[in-house]
Amino acid sequence: MFQDKQNSWSNGVKTNDLQRIRVSGDTLAMLDDASELTGYSYDTLIQLWGTAVGPNAAAAAAAGAALAMRAVTQEEMRRGLAECAPNLRVAGIRLDHWHSSPHSVADGSGFDRTHAGADFTTSGVNLWLSVRGYWVVGPRSNAIAAFRLGRFLALYAGVTWSAATDKRRFALTGYRINGCKRVDPESGDVLGAASEDEIEALKYLDGHALSMPPGAANPIANLFE
């Protein structure tokens, strides 16, 4: 049995997911070296490599940029955000791949959407609908950082959360930080100037990738004390 921080392998067979793949010893050694160098799990590395050679040029560029930086741990990112944006309590959300996930409500207990997850080119209202919920998350966080395969996608601040239903919540409010501005995530309208903490948090997140175990039961990482 081969064990690293984020993956289990038995004779080259990945065992912690529904699918199994068999690889050579040389390939396993390459994955081990690449994981140690970048901080990404095997699963994340393979998906990033696949995206980097895919047909979508924008997604390929984003995957290449992610591979070019070393992912930091949740604790490292927690310390970095505490130093540059002490008034923000950021919940990091690891988004799954873009997929159909219809959800409709009629009583105000949630919000309508047709999809969940994201890819490297998801933006605007489509990204916000995936980020809003529904998550097993506490109500203390006042900002959300969205990630896909460790790559930072967007920062939302001014976040407030619904009451929990079956342990899950959704964001009632939030605006996206775009440069020095606060932007309505649904309409794209500029709402005003971003705070110093919001601007500094965006700069920090733009320059860092986040290492998150692919098998985590809950994709939420509280990046604050």
Side-chain angles (χ1 to χ4, degrees):
M1 171 69 74
F2 180 90
Q3 178 79 40
D4 81 346
K5 303 182 193 69
Q6 298 174 329
N7 297 281
S8 296
W9 292 73
S10 178
N11 295 324
V13 178
K14 184 172 183 293
T15 60
N16 66 341
D17 201 351
L18 296 177
Q19 304 297 319
R20 295 186 178 190
I21 60 173
R22 192 174 296 277
V23 299
S24 69
D26 287 345
T27 300
L28 184 58
M30 180 190 69
L31 285 168
D32 192 27
D33 289 343
S35 181
E36 184 69 25
L37 179 66
T38 64
Y40 294 118
S41 69
Y42 299 157
D43 183 73
T44 298
L45 278 169
I46 292 169
Q47 291 193 63
L48 287 172
W49 285 333
T51 304
V53 298
N56 187 314
L67 288 165
M69 64 175 66
R70 176 174 174 79
V72 299
T73 66
Q74 295 176 30
E75 179 57 31
E76 288 170 328
M77 186 165 285
R78 186 179 296 120
R79 292 198 301 266
L81 287 170
E83 290 176 4
C84 71
N87 296 312
L88 289 188
R89 298 184 300 277
V90 181
I93 298 180
R94 185 190 74 237
L95 294 173
D96 197 1
H97 63 88
W98 174 276
H99 61 279
S100 175
S101 180
H103 186 89
S104 180
V105 295
D107 60 0
S109 61
F111 62 96
D112 296 344
R113 71 178 183 194
T114 60
H115 65 274
D119 56 34
F120 287 140
T121 59
T122 306
S123 61
V125 65
N126 287 326
L127 183 56
W128 172 239
L129 290 175
S130 289
V131 167
R132 283 189 71 183
Y134 296 83
W135 309 111
V136 179
V137 62
R140 291 184 57 222
S141 56
N142 59 9
I144 298 172
F147 297 88
R148 171 67 185 142
L149 297 176
R151 174 77 169 171
F152 170 68
L153 298 179
L155 173 64
Y156 302 89
V159 172
T160 59
W161 295 97
S162 70
T165 302
D166 294 329
K167 299 182 179 180
R168 296 183 178 272
R169 305 176 191 271
F170 65 95
L172 295 169
T173 63
Y175 45 79
R176 182 174 179 176
I177 306 304
N178 186 1
C180 297
K181 299 175 182 178
R182 295 174 174 175
V183 176
D184 187 301
E186 296 190 15
S187 68
D189 294 339
V190 176
L191 303 176
S195 70
E196 181 178 352
D197 274 25
E198 292 164 351
I199 294 169
E200 292 305 312
L202 180 63
K203 290 178 182 177
Y204 176 86
L205 292 164
D206 262 335
H208 293 81
L210 176 62
S211 175
M212 296 181 74
N218 186 9
I220 304 297
N222 286 326
L223 303 174
F224 62 93
E225 295 296 338

